[in-house]
Amino acid sequence: MKRVYVNEQWCLGCHLCEYYCAFAATNEKDMVRALKGVMIRPRIRIEEKDGISFAVSCRHCDEPLCVKGCITGALTKKDGIITIDRNKCVGCYTCILSCPYGAISPSEDGAVQKCELCIKTVRGTPKCVEGCPNGAIVFEERGE
Amino acid sequence: MNSLKYVIIGNSAAAVGAVEAIRKNDSEGRIVIISSETHHTYSRPLISYLLLGKTDENRMKYRGDSFYSDNKCEFLPGKTVQRIDPEKKQVLLDDGSCESYDKLLIATGSTPFIPPVKGLEKVRNKFTFTTLDDARKLDSALNEGSRVLILGAGLIGLKCAEGISKKKVSTVCVDLSHRVLSSILDDEASEIVKKHLEKNNIRFCLGRQVAEFSDGSAMLDDGTEIPFDVLVTAVGVRPNISLLKDIGGKTNRGIIIDERCRTSIPDIYAAGDCCECRDAASGEMKVMALLPNAYMQGECAGMNMSGADCVFDKAIPMNAIGLFGKHIITAGVYTGEEYHEADEENYKKLFYSNNRLNGFILVGNIEKAGIYTSLIREGTPLDTIDFELICRMPGLMAFSRKERARKLSSMV
């Protein structure tokens, strides 16, 4: 099962992953046109302090507390990927209460948002990985 | 190996957790689900969202339409178990039939508590607010301009107040406590939430109780009279423990379960709102009637019923609630030293002692709340993280580089 992993030592703190993430969600062709003047709400977020930086997005946990705690059944895990059914979600934020990584966040329309490995947007490599200039975010198979 | 027969009494989160767990271990055994309600499994906390129009009866199904067939469950809707016979290992239903079991799960939930108030029997338009049928009945009794009196300013009462607000009713909440959400908020947070609710036209009579009802009017203990068209009782719920209590099983306020969700009677498990279990934050036995705990207890019970050895010892009180756009997240117990931040709209308080986070209250800004929850759930020693940083800003930055690497670059 391929997942997104973060190599902290390579992160430049450039925030490009956040822009690529927001871009991927728009399904637009041109990044500048899609994001110019827009306050982005990425599903991957950089944490930074005193020269240290790293990206955090959904870990697609083996024991997903967000899925188990979801009061609507909107969060499900299938084929190793946790997705959100935005039509079912009522925005109660029980998943935000539950996620130990802080990887689920509110969105503009009331439903929550989270990384879905770009399966609803593009095929193949998640956009944040594709856009990372320094190999700090990778999409690969690691020991199960 | 002989195929096992599993009987589950109840059809909500704990029952679903059990079914999903049983089917991980046992694809063949018979599963029978017995439900007093006639509905497909649905999420009870969504009834206020239903009245508000944020969901509908189809979307509020807790699992898809093919849940029972996908999991090879026999679903017996509209039937109530009257008695368990632990000797013969069978349950007796109200239609006179019986079902034998090898492993039994009691997931019977809870029932609204109706306070004994003088004259209550004279009130014709009175409702409770925990089931889909409750919500349908209440909804059909409301008209624009209806005057609604809600007894109880807790989670259920306030979510009800929000739900019915769409109908342009005028709502008064009466609660014995001086605070709204008194079981999960402290004075200051409660005041912020109360003001927010008042801005949204909910009125309160706090620190008061109804001395006497007549049909259409309530007389409070200070002499105030509140005329109303519709009464909603939301002062709390009682765990449904009688099935186990009647056969001598160990109960207190709820059915007592151990960390494997076993009751005191062999091959009988219990999970969800009918139970009492150890609170990992305080160490006390408690009823923690919360959907996430219900699912995880049901799951743990299901694992153990189907032959695995599974422990669930991380139940803590925790709540996420939104009211008229303001979000509140709380968890744990409110003891120890305090870290405190507040402005007009937002409020944060963390409670800690003996190198552990005990609990927290967040109102307004709730981002990354789960990082605090995990500190409580895991009992993380606070001297292994940058506590001063995490107080201000929940994040993984507060953990050591090594711990971060474990969280972000390995399987979790």
Side-chain angles (χ1 to χ4, degrees), chain A residues 75-142:
Chain A
L75 283 164
T76 52
K77 186 170 187 188
K78 201 176 158 224
D79 301 328
I81 304 173
I82 296 170
T83 57
I84 172 87
D85 178 347
R86 299 173 65 86
N87 184 42
K88 265 181 100 86
C89 176
V90 294
C92 74
Y93 298 173
T94 302
C95 52
I96 295 176
L97 155 74
S98 304
C99 175
Y101 304 97
I104 306 182
S105 53
S107 74
E108 295 100 335
D109 66 2
V112 296
Q113 57 169 28
K114 63 176 295 301
C115 164
E116 298 174 306
L117 296 177
C118 283
I119 56 163
K120 290 178 183 166
T121 53
V122 290
R123 278 175 197 283
T125 317
K127 273 279 178 196
C128 57
V129 175
E130 216 172 276
C132 179
N134 211 32
I137 309 172
V138 295
F139 185 51
E140 60 191 34
E141 194 101 31
R142 290 188 182 176

Side-chain angles (χ1 to χ4, degrees), chain B residues 147-148 170-174 197-198 201-205 226:
Chain B
R147 296 162 304 170
V148 182
S170 87
T171 302
V172 181
C173 284
V174 175
L197 292 165
E198 283 170 341
N201 301 316
I202 311 294
R203 285 175 298 143
F204 292 96
C205 297
I226 304 179

Side-chain angles (χ1 to χ4, degrees), chain A residues 3-8 45 47-49 52-56 59 61-63 65 68-73 87-88 90-94 96-102 106 142-144, chain B residues 43 45-46 49 54-55 59 61-63 291-292 295-296 299 318-321 327 329-330 366-371 373-374 377 386 389 395-397 401 404 407-412:
Chain A
R3 296 190 198 209
V4 167
Y5 295 102
V6 171
N7 299 316
E8 179 177 319
R45 292 282 177 95
E47 285 192 31
E48 57 192 331
K49 181 182 172 270
I52 299 170
S53 60
F54 53 87
V56 181
R59 310 305 306 139
C61 303
D62 279 343
E63 293 290 329
L65 295 170
K68 293 180 185 190
C70 178
I71 72 165
T72 63
N87 184 42
K88 265 181 100 86
V90 294
C92 74
Y93 298 173
T94 302
I96 295 176
L97 155 74
S98 304
C99 175
Y101 304 97
R142 290 188 182 176
E144 297 265 330
Chain B
S43 172
L46 292 188
Y49 297 90
K54 278 192 169 182
T55 189
R59 283 184 291 162
K61 286 175 182 166
Y62 184 51
R63 291 295 183 267
L291 193 141
Y295 181 90
M296 287 187 264
E299 181 186 44
M318 53 182 201
N319 279 284
I321 176 175
H327 284 273
I329 292 188
T330 66
I366 47 72
E367 270 190 43
K368 300 192 182 189
I371 290 181
T373 313
S374 78
R377 190 194 295 117
D386 185 340
L389 174 67
L396 301 183
M397 187 63 82
R401 185 181 286 263
R404 259 197 321 268
K407 289 178 190 292
L408 296 177
S409 42
S410 65
M411 296 278 304
V412 288

Side-chain angles (χ1 to χ4, degrees), chain B residues 131-387:
Chain B
T131 67
L132 178 54
D133 291 342
D134 288 346
R136 285 175 177 172
K137 282 184 221 157
L138 173 61
D139 192 48
S140 65
L142 296 173
N143 299 302
E144 191 169 326
S146 292
R147 296 162 304 170
V148 182
L149 172 61
I150 300 180
L151 283 194
L155 294 156
I156 294 174
L158 295 184
K159 282 306 278 185
C160 179
E162 183 195 39
I164 62 178
S165 66
K166 194 175 171 241
K167 282 221 161 165
K168 300 197 168 56
V169 297
S170 87
T171 302
V172 181
C173 284
V174 175
D175 199 300
L176 191 55
S177 167
H178 290 272
R179 298 177 285 142
V180 301
L181 294 175
S182 60
S183 63
I184 64 166
L185 296 182
D186 62 357
D187 287 350
E188 209 178 330
S190 186
E191 196 54 32
I192 294 172
V193 174
K194 181 175 155 236
K195 281 198 179 123
H196 178 70
L197 292 165
E198 283 170 341
K199 271 187 214 155
N200 286 282
N201 301 316
I202 311 294
R203 285 175 298 143
F204 292 96
C205 297
L206 299 178
R208 292 277 161 252
Q209 55 185 328
V210 177
E212 186 173 356
F213 282 106
S214 57
D215 190 25
S217 181
M219 174 77 79
L220 302 191
D221 52 1
D222 64 350
T224 312
E225 196 170 336
I226 304 179
F228 64 87
D229 302 307
V230 169
L231 173 71
V232 179
T233 312
V235 297
V237 293
R238 292 269 166 89
N240 294 327
I241 63 173
S242 60
L243 285 176
L244 195 83
K245 195 179 180 183
D246 289 349
I247 54 171
K250 212 166 144 192
T251 60
N252 185 25
R253 274 197 64 221
I255 294 171
I256 309 277
I257 54 171
D258 67 7
E259 72 282 1
R260 288 178 172 76
C261 297
R262 296 178 294 205
T263 69
S264 60
I265 297 182
D267 296 320
I268 302 181
Y269 297 73
D273 293 9
C274 62
C275 293
E276 185 168 316
C277 73
R278 196 163 303 283
D279 165 5
S282 70
E284 290 162 18
M285 292 297 283
K286 267 185 201 167
V287 176
M288 285 177 278
L290 310 161
L291 193 141
N293 284 339
Y295 181 90
M296 287 187 264
Q297 286 170 349
E299 181 186 44
C300 172
M303 292 301 279
N304 292 319
M305 289 160 75
S306 56
D309 183 24
C310 178
V311 165
F312 177 60
D313 55 2
K314 291 190 172 160
I316 56 170
M318 53 182 201
N319 279 284
I321 176 175
L323 291 163
F324 298 98
K326 183 166 296 284
H327 284 273
I328 301 157
I329 292 188
T330 66
V333 290
Y334 307 150
T335 54
E337 288 179 69
E338 296 174 4
Y339 171 84
H340 181 220
E341 262 177 36
D343 59 33
E344 286 287 293
E345 297 294 323
N346 303 293
Y347 181 81
K348 178 195 284 194
K349 198 173 255 185
L350 307 180
F351 301 84
Y352 58 97
S353 60
N354 301 324
N355 206 22
R356 297 286 188 280
L357 185 66
N358 302 324
F360 68 87
I361 297 170
L362 301 177
V363 179
N365 180 8
I366 47 72
E367 270 190 43
K368 300 192 182 189
I371 290 181
Y372 293 137
T373 313
S374 78
L375 295 179
I376 303 171
R377 190 194 295 117
E378 306 301 329
T380 307
L382 299 181
D383 60 6
T384 63
I385 61 172
D386 185 340
F387 185 58

Side-chain angles (χ1 to χ4, degrees), chain B residues 7-8 37 72 103 105 113 127-128 140 142 160 212 223 227 236 307 327 330 344 359 382:
Chain B
V7 172
I8 298 172
E37 288 180 272
K72 288 198 275 180
K103 305 282 175 186
L105 176 67
F113 170 63
F127 302 89
T128 52
S140 65
L142 296 173
C160 179
E212 186 173 356
H327 284 273
T330 66
E344 286 287 293
L382 299 181

